[in-house]
Amino acid sequence: MQNLTLSEIIRNIENGICFEARCHHNFEIKILEYVPYVCAAIHNGHQLRSELESQCMLSEQERYFEEDPFTGDFIKSLPITLIGSDSRFEYDLNRTEKECIYEEAWGKKVWNTPLSDGDKEISLQKHRDFYRITDALIAKLEKDFGSVIVYDIHSYNYQRHEKSFTFNIGIENIDKKRFNKIISYWKTQLQAIKIRKVNATVSVNHLFYGRGYFLRHITERFNNTLVLATEVKKVFMDELTGQAFPVVIQNISKGLKNAILENSKYFINTYSQIHVKRRSSLLNSDLQPELIKLDKQLFRLARNFELLSFVNPINIESEKKRFFKHNFIANPIFRYKPLTINPFEFKSKIYSLNVAAIDDIHIRQVYADIIDAYANKADILAHLGSEKFLYNSLAYFGEPSPGDIANANFLLYCHELSEFQNMEMLDIKEVSKLFKSEGTKYGFEYKVNVVPNIASDVLVLNAKKTLLIKKNARFTETRLKALLDHEVGVHMVTTMNAQMQPLNFLRLGLPRNTYTQEGLAVVSEMLGGNLTITRLQELGLRVLAVDSMTDGKDFKTTYQYLLETYKPDPDKLFYLVTRVYRGGGFTKDYLYLRGFRKVLQLLANKENISNLFLGKTTHHYLPILNELVDRGILNAPLYKCPVFESPIETDPILKYLTDSIK
């Protein structure tokens, strides 16, 4: 952030230059894009000039109590902000110049001795500078857009009041008749904010009436600007001790961002000279330098962290022979390649990244979640091959719910696990050739390797853009077509789309992306007309295998139970159970069926899921992915799986089964 003089800031505004600056360290102004709305947190500041500290009778805690901490954080995501840096006890920006320096405040004397005229003049000049910049900004925006809306954000101590609301709107000094619709809409948007999953309460002119000078100054000078003075109850901190509640601050920041965008869109379309179709167009599209830096640092740290490559046993085939030789009564003893990552050092480095430097609250949350996810995966790896591996897998992936188990049992009810009976098997060399040529249909290239020791028939390694095929896997024509859509049409497509993004986080993957990515992949098998009942039952078996493992059953017990109860192919069942028990207990496989069900629900609800193909995404983040594409921060997916656009009609029996899982 630059340090600019008053004249430099005003010149930038008049010339329409975007910038971020401090004015003599007194307050911060940020203009990332010229839009018809402004967010202000003029009481956010706490600093006091060093020469005044010794004269101030109030302790730092007493001053902090009456200031509005974190209000600057609440509006940080928006493109135009005015945020105070100085304490209101030096000069109060919400009072006139004559009244802005306190002698007494809230019943307490402020200064040991009266301030000199010289000390006062320094503070008064800061006050004047702020309002000169404010006037220049509003004049510029009114000229460009016709009308402007300003969000004047404050906070208040509620324990001194018998009745309080989450938000208070003061409207005494605005044209209520003219702006009544906007006031009502603003109230509705604030009520929709959820704090700790509870909807906010909102009052109008209850405790605060909008009598502050900031509102009055703008309203008196600009006929086409509405100022909404809004007080936030200090539920985000302990007002007595000053202890912050970070999760609540995040809730309010996200909620206010959404409320301000929705309300601004409504105001602009009603009063301004422009029309806004999407609220995301009211946000800036430039990449914040701090975001680019963090993204690169995170990618450098995590790009070679491929969990599956470490968790995959290196002796699957030899242990399979031993298991069958002993008639399923000796548990396999899996071995793993040495870790090339120190999990504890990795966690230390990844948690040292400065996520707080990202202004946009939703983007910041995405990166914080990714960092947490990689830290959790590091915990999984740290205990590879031990009992603790399972506990860490449960913490990250979770375990099957009663609903998941009910769906699995429903699919397995018909007992038709017979895919390979009397069917012609394809040659592995031909399979490899077909996988290689499939990429040319999409317009990209990747490596295809046939390998001996993997638990899956086919596996995509995202970081290496490589597709692995198990050497002794058996493929029918139907199964191969399904895997071409599954592995190439979804997994490789999302890998390649992630490579096309200006940011790298989708190459690393959003948290628990298995849930959505495997859901998309299985749905692609269905839309391509290649999903079989046997395949659905295989997903059901995975759920039951994970459930059996988490219930404390060992490998052989789970294997024998599934074999005797459902009569699957013994060979395929070994690999299925291996997938679940590898590493010490890998619970992720139950997510395939749950993800399949979720993607079907999204399609049934007519949701646009195209941005789930941007990279390794999770449906939970679809709203922010849509916003980032609309803003131009992410590129729309270049490659698409064709079966989602031109699906084949689903077999009636299969449709009945898929419609029945809930």
Side-chain angles (χ1 to χ4, degrees), residues 411-658:
L411 293 173
L412 288 160
Y413 182 74
C414 54
H415 303 298
E416 293 187 4
L417 294 161
S418 55
E419 179 182 359
F420 296 118
Q421 292 182 3
N422 303 317
M423 290 187 181
E424 183 179 350
M425 297 297 119
L426 300 175
D427 179 73
I428 196 69
K429 290 183 180 178
E430 180 66 17
V431 169
S432 177
K433 182 179 178 181
L434 288 169
F435 269 112
K436 285 181 180 178
S437 64
E438 186 72 6
T440 61
K441 297 178 183 178
Y442 289 89
F444 52 67
E445 296 181 354
Y446 50 86
K447 296 178 183 177
V448 177
N449 296 330
V450 178
V451 296
N453 276 299
I454 56 174
S456 312
D457 287 345
V458 182
L459 175 66
V460 170
L461 296 178
N462 303 310
K464 297 180 179 180
K465 290 190 288 187
T466 300
L467 187 144
L468 304 180
I469 304 173
K470 185 163 61 183
K471 185 177 181 180
N472 61 348
R474 296 179 294 165
F475 298 91
T476 64
E477 184 178 356
T478 298
R479 184 67 186 130
L480 176 61
K481 288 179 179 177
L483 284 171
L484 289 173
D485 286 331
H486 182 117
E487 302 294 347
V488 182
V490 174
H491 294 327
M492 197 59 77
V493 158
T494 54
T495 293
M496 296 304 181
N497 279 332
Q499 302 270 343
M500 309 297 292
Q501 300 302 329
L503 295 172
N504 295 301
F505 72 91
L506 289 174
R507 295 171 67 178
L508 300 176
L510 294 171
R512 294 184 72 198
N513 60 75
T514 297
Y515 184 7
T516 301
Q517 294 299 300
E518 297 302 347
L520 288 169
V522 178
V523 167
S524 77
E525 298 178 36
M526 186 184 79
L527 298 181
N530 299 304
L531 183 64
T532 64
I533 294 174
T534 297
R535 170 63 166 157
L536 279 177
Q537 291 178 320
E538 177 192 327
L539 301 184
L541 283 177
R542 291 184 185 183
V543 174
L544 298 186
V546 173
D547 182 56
S548 178
M549 177 187 65
T550 57
D551 196 39
K553 307 294 193 303
D554 62 7
F555 186 105
K556 66 179 186 296
T557 304
T558 295
Y559 181 91
Q560 291 167 4
Y561 164 70
L562 296 177
L563 183 66
E564 292 169 5
T565 307
Y566 301 105
K567 307 296 188 293
D569 177 90
D571 197 69
K572 286 182 68 66
L573 181 61
F574 176 84
Y575 293 113
L576 185 149
V577 179
T578 294
R579 289 170 60 101
V580 172
Y581 279 82
R582 57 185 162 170
F586 205 35
T587 61
K588 84 176 185 71
D589 270 15
Y590 82 93
L591 288 169
Y592 284 63
L593 185 56
R594 182 185 286 185
F596 174 63
R597 182 188 69 200
K598 182 62 184 180
V599 174
L600 287 179
Q601 289 174 350
L602 293 174
L603 293 174
N605 293 334
K606 308 294 184 184
E607 290 203 38
N608 183 351
I609 63 169
S610 62
N611 286 332
L612 291 179
F613 289 88
L614 286 168
K616 302 308 171 185
T617 63
T618 310
H619 67 272
H620 172 72
Y621 295 91
L622 186 54
I624 183 61
L625 293 173
N626 291 339
E627 178 188 299
L628 294 179
V629 171
D630 286 345
R631 292 168 64 178
I633 289 176
L634 294 179
N635 300 321
L638 177 63
Y639 304 111
K640 298 179 182 179
C641 182
V643 297
F644 281 86
E645 298 179 345
S646 303
I648 293 173
E649 187 174 352
T650 304
D651 174 83
I653 296 175
L654 195 67
K655 188 174 189 313
Y656 165 75
L657 290 174
T658 56

Side-chain angles (χ1 to χ4, degrees), residues 151-162:
Y151 299 92
D152 179 20
I153 305 299
H154 297 266
S155 65
Y156 75 99
N157 299 308
Y158 61 92
Q159 294 187 28
R160 57 170 61 134
H161 305 288
E162 277 189 28

Side-chain angles (χ1 to χ4, degrees), residues 258-272:
N258 290 331
I260 288 170
L261 288 174
E262 280 294 333
N263 195 66
S264 297
K265 178 186 171 187
Y266 183 59
F267 174 87
I268 292 164
N269 289 339
T270 305
Y271 294 100
S272 79

